[in-house]
């Protein structure tokens, strides 16, 4: 949406001292997202693509200017301000532009002068904070390790359900039990040693 007065672009300006006011000092992601052109006098224009006739925003070093209230470029402008170490900025423009700058700057810990948030602005941001603080996905429950006894019981149930010949099923189960017996004994021995150690510690 165009700004209220196309002859007076909306402005985001550093207040006080910032780490950098160098034109073109922007994050790598901004350089990757926009094409630049320094043909417009003192400004460095940032264009969304090669066909665009007007820049999404312009960089004059100590201030950033935009002719439109598009959220994407506004987020980029605030990202540039944060990258340059600006801790306080002033904003001039219509309410939509100023509100979006305030919202983005607030999330980055930048103080904004020139816009007083409304009660609804503050309520909306509080709700967004709550949403961002909630985990998106619950942590998966850790599966308990399967004991050798449980594994043996599953093998027996599967063989009994699949084998129609009882004698063949018995032979398979006997062979499976023979292979599992050392594993089960080893697991039981480990548990018994753990219990003995726990009991000895308690007796002390």
């Amino acid at each position: 949406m165009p700004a209220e007065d196309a002859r007076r672009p909306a402005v985001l300006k550093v207040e006080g001292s910032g780490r950098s006011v160098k034109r073109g000092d922007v994050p790598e992601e901004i350089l990757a997202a926009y094409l630049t052109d320094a043909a417009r006098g003192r400004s460095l224009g940032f264009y969304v693509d090669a066909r665009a006739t007007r820049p999404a925003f312009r960089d004059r070093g100590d201030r950033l200017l935009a002719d439109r209230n598009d959220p994407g470029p506004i987020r980029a402008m605030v990202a540039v301000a944060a990258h340059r170490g600006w801790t306080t900025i002033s904003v001039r423009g219509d309410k939509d532009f100023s509100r979006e700058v305030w919202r983005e700057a607030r999330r980055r810990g930048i103080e904004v002068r020139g816009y007083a948030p409304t009660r609804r602005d503050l309520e909306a941001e509080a709700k967004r904070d709550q949403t961002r603080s909630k985990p998106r996905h619950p942590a998966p429950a850790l599966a308990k390790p399967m004991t050798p006894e449980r594994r043996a019981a599953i093998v027996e149930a599967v063989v009994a359900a699949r084998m129609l010949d009882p004698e063949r099923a018995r032979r398979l189960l006997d062979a499976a039990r023979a292979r599992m017996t050392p594993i089960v004994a080893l697991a039981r021995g480990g548990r018994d040693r753990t219990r003995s150690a726990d009991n000895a510690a308690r007796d002390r």
Side-chain angles (χ1 to χ4, degrees):
M1 176 168 65
E4 288 178 351
D5 186 349
R7 292 172 296 179
R8 293 191 63 195
V11 180
L12 182 162
K13 180 183 177 183
V14 64
E15 289 291 322
S17 61
R19 181 184 61 80
S20 170
V21 290
K22 181 181 177 182
R23 190 179 68 168
D25 180 14
V26 302
E28 290 294 330
E29 61 268 22
I30 302 299
L31 289 176
Y34 292 92
L35 303 176
T36 59
D37 187 349
R40 295 191 61 173
R42 295 180 297 152
S43 297
L44 177 65
F46 287 77
Y47 295 79
V48 293
D49 58 41
R51 297 171 299 176
T53 58
R54 298 170 67 184
F57 67 95
R58 287 174 280 140
D59 178 6
R60 287 191 180 173
D62 66 341
R63 69 195 66 195
L64 304 166
L65 305 90
D67 296 330
R68 303 177 68 85
N69 295 331
D70 296 336
I74 293 173
R75 285 193 291 269
M77 293 166 72
V78 177
V80 171
H83 172 78
R84 293 181 183 175
W86 298 358
T87 57
T88 304
I89 59 176
S90 63
V91 61
R92 187 190 73 210
D94 65 21
K95 286 184 178 179
D96 290 339
F97 178 87
S98 300
R99 178 185 294 111
E100 193 65 27
V101 168
W102 171 79
R103 288 174 57 190
E104 289 299 317
R106 174 186 176 274
R107 294 170 192 171
R108 293 176 177 269
I110 300 174
E111 180 186 350
V112 177
R113 297 175 182 171
Y115 179 73
T118 66
R119 182 175 179 179
R120 281 185 292 174
D121 289 336
L122 296 172
E123 185 177 351
E125 287 302 297
K127 288 182 178 179
R128 287 190 184 92
D129 290 342
Q130 290 175 354
T131 301
R132 283 194 294 267
S133 66
K134 292 179 181 177
R136 295 189 177 183
H137 303 288
L142 296 177
K144 292 182 179 179
M146 187 178 292
T147 63
E149 293 93 338
R150 176 63 178 158
R151 188 176 291 111
I154 291 174
V155 170
E156 291 184 13
V158 170
V159 171
R162 297 292 180 88
M163 300 294 292
L164 298 178
D165 184 352
E167 182 59 27
R168 189 176 178 192
R170 185 187 62 77
R171 289 197 301 271
L172 283 173
L173 288 173
D174 288 344
R177 289 190 193 100
R179 286 194 297 271
M180 292 294 293
T181 297
I183 298 173
V184 172
L186 183 62
R188 285 176 176 165
R191 288 197 295 271
D192 291 342
R193 284 193 295 274
T194 300
R195 291 195 195 98
S196 298
D198 291 343
N199 291 336
R202 282 195 296 271
D203 291 342
R204 293 197 204 101

